[in-house]
Amino acid sequence: MVTEKGSCMRFIELLGGIGARVFKFYTQKPLKNPLETQENLLMEIVKKHKYTQFGKKHRFSEIQSVKQFQMHCKPQSYDYFKPYIDNFIAGKKKALFNSHFLFFAQTSGTTGAPKLIPVTYNTIKNYNLGVLRTACYYITEDLNANSKIISGKWLYLPAPPLLRYISGIPVGYITGLLMLPYGIQFWRYLLNFKCYAPLHLMHIRNAEVKFKRITEECISENISMVVGVTPVIINLLEYILKYSKASTIHELFPNLQLAIFSGVSPKYYRSRLNKLIGHPIAIREMYAASEGMLAVQLSKRPQLTPLYDSVFFEFIPLKDSTERLIISQIKKGEKYHLLITTHNGLYAYDIGDIVKITSEDPPAFEISFRKDVIDLADEKLTPTQISTSIKIANTQNQCKIIDFFVVGTYKPKPHYIFLIEFDYKRQPASYTKYLITIEKTLEKLNNIYYQNRKGANKGTLSPPELWILEPNTIHVFETQWVLDDLPTGQRKAIHLSKDPKVLKFLESFVIEKVSLNR
C-alpha cells in the first residue's frame, strides 16, 4: 500500500529527475565542443585579469591566442605566484586576479609551509556545479531508480572551515569553506539544504566524541548519498557503524545508493565500502583540489571528464617536456603533466599531477600519480618530510642507516611501511622508539597526516610499520630488474612507492617487523 507521504515523496523525486535532465541538457552544451570552449575560456580569463600586476608583467593585453599565452606565461609552480599573493595580503588587491575574492584555502603544507590558494566566487560556483553535474548525470542514467537520491540527505564531512585570519582574510580548508555562507547562489542553497554536514561539530578535538555526536545526529536522517574525500568518508562510516552498533550501514541508511568520492581513487576502497554497507552501491569520482574543481565522472565508466568550461588545461608529455599541448592534441594512452589556468590567479600552474588519457573524443583521463609525493589519504607526504623524519630518528636514537624505502599500502587499511637497512654496527636500541620518532616527526611536518592519524579524521590512516632489512638488501635491490624494466641506475631513487611489487620483493629480505598498533 502506497501512503500519501510516499506518493508525495515519489512525485518530488520524479520532478527532481526532470529537473536533473534539464540541468544536464544546459550544462553539457559547453562540453560538446572542448576546443572552442577552452579557447573562449582562456581569452575570458586573460581579458578579465589583464590590468592586474601579474597581467601587466606578462603582457595579457597583447594575448589574442593560445600560442601567445604560452609565449608570455611559462609553466610555474606555486613559488612563482607567492609574491603576488603576499602583495594581495599586503593590500594590493589587483596583484594577481580581478575576480570576486572570498577566502584563502590552505593546503596541507606538503612541501614546507602551507600554500594559500585564492578562493573566488568562480571557484565555489564550479565546485558546487561539479557536484550537481555528477549527481544529475547519475540521476539521468535511470530516472526511475536513481532519482530516489533526491528525497534523502547527502552526508558530507567537511574539514574545519576557518583555521585563522591573515590581515582580516579568512583561511581554512576548501572542503569546509564550501559550506560557509556568502553571496547568492541557488546551487549553494540547494546543496546546503540537501547536505547533512556537521560544521557545528568540527570544533570538537576529541575524534571519538566528535564521531559519536555525528552518529547520534545522522542516524535519524534519510541518507541517500555520501560525498567527500574517499578515505575520510570510509572512516566516518566505520565510526557510525561502531557507535550505532548496527551490523551494516544498510540497516541505518537503507536508501543509500550513491557515493561521490574525491582525493584518492575509490578503486582502493570498493571492497571495504561494500562490506561496510552490506552491498555494492554506485560510485562516482571527482578530481577536486584547493585550486578548484577540475574534472568529474559523468558515467559508469571510471574516467574523468575535464571541466572545459571551468579550467583551461594544458598537457606536457612525459616523453617530451618541451611541448605544451591543449585539449585537442592529447593522445589516448599517453601520460602528461597537467597545467591549469583559472579565474583565481593561477596561470599555466603546474598542479603536480600526472594524468593518463583514456579517451580522445570526448576527452577524458584518469589520475596516474602525483609528482614527488606518496599519498594514501590526501596527506601527500614528500621526500623531504620523510627523509627529515628519518634523519631525526637516526639522531635521537644514535643509529645509522644504509638506505630506506617507504611503501604505502591499502591492505588491510591504508598505512605506511618503512623498510630500512641499518648499519649493522649502529643499530637503534629500540626499533619501536625509532618508529615512534618517525611518526611524531611526520605529525609535526604534515598536518593532514596528523589529522588522519590522531586528529579530526582519526583512524583514516592506520599506524605505520617498520620492517628491518637484512644487510646488503639495498645492493641486491639495485642490481635486480624489479620495477617496470627500469635501468639499474634509476632504482636507487625509488624511495617512495605504492607499487606492491616493491613490497613483495623486499619482504623476503625482512628480518623483523615492528608496528605501532596498540
Side-chain angles (χ1 to χ4, degrees):
M1 181 177 179
V2 179
T3 65
E4 184 178 339
K5 181 179 179 182
S7 297
C8 181
M9 291 305 297
R10 193 64 193 131
F11 175 75
I12 292 173
E13 290 170 1
L14 293 175
L15 189 64
I18 295 171
R21 277 186 173 175
V22 174
F23 180 85
K24 176 182 176 180
F25 174 77
Y26 282 103
T27 59
Q28 70 180 355
K29 280 187 174 181
L31 304 184
K32 289 184 175 180
N33 192 333
L35 179 59
E36 180 181 342
T37 300
Q38 283 277 274
E39 290 176 339
N40 290 341
L41 175 65
L42 179 63
M43 291 303 104
E44 175 189 317
I45 292 173
V46 167
K47 181 179 179 181
K48 187 174 183 63
H49 303 283
K50 65 182 178 180
Y51 295 121
T52 62
Q53 181 185 347
F54 187 97
K56 290 176 181 177
K57 180 179 178 180
H58 294 81
R59 298 156 64 182
F60 276 17
S61 60
E62 300 176 14
I63 295 175
Q64 300 294 326
S65 67
V66 173
K67 285 293 183 184
Q68 288 178 322
F69 171 77
Q70 291 176 337
M71 287 173 57
H72 294 313
C73 284
K74 302 302 179 185
Q76 302 292 352
S77 65
Y78 178 80
D79 288 341
Y80 188 79
F81 299 96
K82 188 177 184 302
Y84 295 95
I85 291 174
D86 291 341
N87 285 345
F88 177 88
I89 293 171
K92 297 178 181 178
K93 300 307 180 185
K94 297 293 179 68
L96 186 60
F97 52 86
N98 193 30
S99 300
H100 181 188
F101 175 77
L102 297 172
F103 330 98
F104 276 127
Q106 178 174 299
T107 66
S108 59
T110 56
T111 56
K115 300 172 185 174
L116 296 177
I117 304 296
V119 177
T120 64
Y121 179 93
N122 183 275
T123 309
I124 298 292
K125 180 188 75 173
N126 291 334
Y127 252 102
N128 290 331
L129 289 177
V131 175
L132 285 175
R133 265 177 165 159
T134 307
C136 287
Y137 272 68
Y138 167 76
I139 291 169
T140 57
E141 288 173 15
D142 186 337
L143 200 61
N144 185 53
N146 296 354
S147 63
K148 292 177 182 178
I149 68 167
I150 293 171
S151 59
K153 286 281 188 177
W154 300 352
L155 177 59
Y156 174 68
L157 185 64
L162 289 177
L163 299 173
R164 65 187 190 281
Y165 287 85
I166 298 178
S167 299
I169 301 169
V171 178
Y173 291 124
I174 188 64
T175 56
L177 293 173
L178 290 171
M179 304 304 295
L180 292 182
Y182 52 85
I184 299 175
Q185 295 184 10
F186 75 88
W187 46 81
R188 180 182 67 81
Y189 289 113
L190 174 62
L191 286 175
N192 283 12
F193 172 73
K194 292 302 300 176
C195 284
Y196 168 73
L199 275 179
H200 58 290
L201 301 178
M202 289 301 102
H203 68 282
I204 301 176
R205 293 189 176 185
N206 186 306
E208 302 286 342
V209 173
K210 179 170 65 179
F211 285 128
K212 188 174 289 187
R213 289 278 303 278
I214 292 173
T215 301
E216 291 169 354
E217 289 189 3
C218 76
I219 57 175
S220 61
E221 301 282 359
N222 172 27
I223 303 296
S224 60
M225 184 171 87
V226 293
V227 185
V229 176
T230 313
V232 172
I233 292 298
I234 299 292
N235 188 51
L236 171 63
L237 293 177
E238 288 175 336
Y239 270 108
I240 290 174
L241 209 56
K242 172 184 175 182
Y243 291 125
S244 67
K245 297 183 179 177
S247 57
T248 66
I249 290 296
H250 179 74
E251 290 182 27
L252 301 172
F253 310 131
N255 296 319
L256 176 60
Q257 65 181 89
L258 175 65
I260 300 180
F261 287 140
S262 64
V264 179
S265 175
K267 66 184 179 182
Y268 302 111
Y269 292 87
R270 184 175 287 276
S271 60
R272 192 169 154 195
L273 180 66
N274 292 346
K275 184 177 179 181
L276 271 171
I277 295 174
H279 60 81
I281 65 171
I283 294 176
R284 298 294 182 268
E285 188 177 359
M286 298 185 302
Y287 179 16
S290 300
E291 292 83 356
M293 177 70 73
L294 306 183
V296 294
Q297 182 181 344
L298 296 180
S299 69
K300 295 178 182 179
R301 188 175 178 184
Q303 62 181 16
L304 296 164
T305 297
L307 296 178
Y308 324 123
D309 54 346
S310 303
V311 178
F312 179 73
F313 296 93
E314 294 177 87
F315 304 84
I316 298 180
L318 289 187
K319 295 179 179 178
D320 183 2
S321 60
T322 63
E323 289 188 298
R324 284 172 67 179
L325 308 180
I326 56 176
I327 203 80
S328 60
Q329 298 171 311
I330 53 178
K331 300 297 182 184
K332 183 178 179 180
E334 295 296 319
K335 292 182 179 181
Y336 301 88
H337 296 275
L338 191 63
L339 304 180
I340 63 171
T341 296
T342 67
H343 272 291
N344 62 347
L346 302 175
Y347 312 99
Y349 175 72
D350 184 352
I351 197 167
D353 291 337
I354 308 297
V355 298
K356 181 180 179 180
I357 305 304
T358 56
S359 171
E360 294 176 25
D361 186 18
F365 58 66
E366 61 184 23
I367 301 173
S368 185
F369 60 91
R370 302 182 189 277
K371 293 190 296 182
D372 304 323
V373 301
I374 185 170
D375 185 21
L376 295 176
D378 212 34
E379 67 287 337
K380 304 183 185 75
L381 291 178
T382 66
T384 299
Q385 291 173 346
I386 289 173
S387 61
T388 298
S389 67
I390 290 175
K391 287 177 182 177
I392 290 174
N394 291 343
T395 301
Q396 292 188 7
N397 292 271
Q398 299 181 334
C399 60
K400 183 179 179 182
I401 71 169
I402 303 301
D403 211 337
F404 70 91
F405 298 94
V406 179
V407 179
T409 180
Y410 293 93
K411 297 181 179 179
K413 290 185 177 182
H415 69 286
Y416 289 99
I417 299 175
F418 290 79
L419 301 104
I420 297 180
E421 180 184 333
F422 290 97
D423 185 329
Y424 74 95
K425 293 181 180 179
R426 295 182 61 184
Q427 300 274 332
S430 168
Y431 291 132
T432 300
K433 288 182 179 179
Y434 185 89
L435 183 56
I436 289 173
T437 306
I438 289 177
E439 167 87 332
K440 287 182 176 178
T441 304
L442 286 178
E443 289 172 359
K444 291 179 181 177
L445 294 175
N446 187 308
N447 183 55
I448 300 299
Y449 180 86
Y450 169 76
Q451 296 298 334
N452 288 338
R453 281 284 295 120
K454 300 172 182 176
N457 302 319
K458 180 182 177 182
T460 303
L461 280 177
S462 292
E465 294 181 56
L466 171 63
W467 291 8
I468 294 87
L469 300 172
E470 64 183 40
N472 209 41
T473 298
I474 303 299
H475 174 72
V476 172
F477 184 81
E478 290 176 2
T479 54
Q480 294 292 319
W481 195 325
V482 182
L483 297 173
D484 300 326
D485 298 336
L486 286 175
T488 303
Q490 292 186 22
R491 294 199 192 105
K492 194 175 181 66
I494 304 172
H495 284 119
L496 313 184
S497 176
K498 290 196 293 185
D499 192 334
K501 289 186 291 184
V502 175
L503 206 58
K504 184 178 180 181
F505 176 83
L506 291 172
E507 189 167 15
S508 60
F509 296 90
V510 173
I511 55 179
E512 187 173 344
K513 295 181 180 180
V514 179
S515 174
L516 294 184
N517 274 305
R518 286 190 279 271

